[in-house]
C-alpha cells in the first residue's frame, strides 16, 4: 500500500505489472553508469508523439531519472531495435494494428 501498488481494476493492475516488467528488462540492456559531474550522462531513449516513433537524445549533465542510459547512440539505437515492444510498454504506447 505504501509503495502505491494499489489499482482500481484488475486491468490497471495488469498494465502496471507489464510496465514494471518491461522497465526491468530494459534496465538489463545496459551496464553504463553515468558521470553527470563530468558531462558523461550518456544517451536516453524517448518516445516522440509528433513523429510517432522511439528515438534517442544525448543527456550529458542532467539527471532526469530515465530507467536506462546508454554509453553511445549506437547502443541506444540497438536497444530500440531489439526491445521496441518493451519501450512501447514502458511509455504506454499502444501497438499499431
Amino acid at each position: 500500500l505504501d509503495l502505491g501498488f494499489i489499482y482500481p481494476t484488475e486491468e490497471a493492475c495488469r498494465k502496471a505489472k507489464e510496465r514494471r516488467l518491461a522497465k526491468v528488462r530494459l534496465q538489463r540492456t545496459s551496464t553504463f553508469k553515468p558521470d553527470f559531474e563530468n558531462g558523461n550522462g550518456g544517451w536516453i531513449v524517448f518516445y516522440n508523439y509528433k513523429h510517432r516513433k522511439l528515438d534517442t537524445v544525448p543527456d550529458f549533465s542532467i539527471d532526469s531519472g530515465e530507467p536506462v542510459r546508454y554509453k553511445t547512440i549506437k547502443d541506444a539505437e540497438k536497444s530500440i531495435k531489439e526491445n521496441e515492444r518493451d519501450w512501447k510498454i514502458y511509455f504506454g504506447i499502444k501497438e499499431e494494428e
Side-chain angles (χ1 to χ4, degrees):
L1 180 63
D2 289 341
L3 295 174
F5 296 136
I6 302 293
Y7 304 95
T9 65
E10 187 173 334
E11 176 67 12
C13 182
R14 186 186 63 73
K15 285 183 179 182
K17 177 185 173 188
E18 286 179 14
R19 183 180 187 273
R20 178 70 181 150
L21 290 173
K23 180 180 179 181
V24 169
R25 289 189 297 266
L26 292 168
Q27 288 172 326
R28 292 177 181 162
T29 67
S30 177
T31 59
F32 175 70
K33 301 292 182 214
D35 181 7
F36 298 110
E37 293 177 1
N38 291 307
N40 190 13
W43 291 79
I44 60 171
V45 174
F46 66 93
Y47 187 78
N48 183 323
Y49 284 88
K50 181 177 180 180
H51 298 285
R52 300 175 57 113
K53 70 175 201 163
L54 293 163
D55 210 341
T56 62
V57 66
D59 196 7
F60 301 116
S61 60
I62 299 170
D63 185 359
S64 49
E66 290 79 22
V68 186
R69 288 178 178 267
Y70 298 92
K71 185 174 183 177
T72 67
I73 188 172
K74 187 175 181 178
D75 294 339
E77 289 172 343
K78 179 181 176 187
S79 180
I80 290 172
K81 183 177 180 181
E82 294 178 356
N83 306 288
E84 182 175 359
R85 183 174 182 276
D86 280 337
W87 280 112
K88 287 182 176 179
I89 290 170
Y90 179 75
F91 289 121
I93 306 304
K94 293 183 180 184
E95 291 287 334
E96 295 182 30
E97 297 180 21

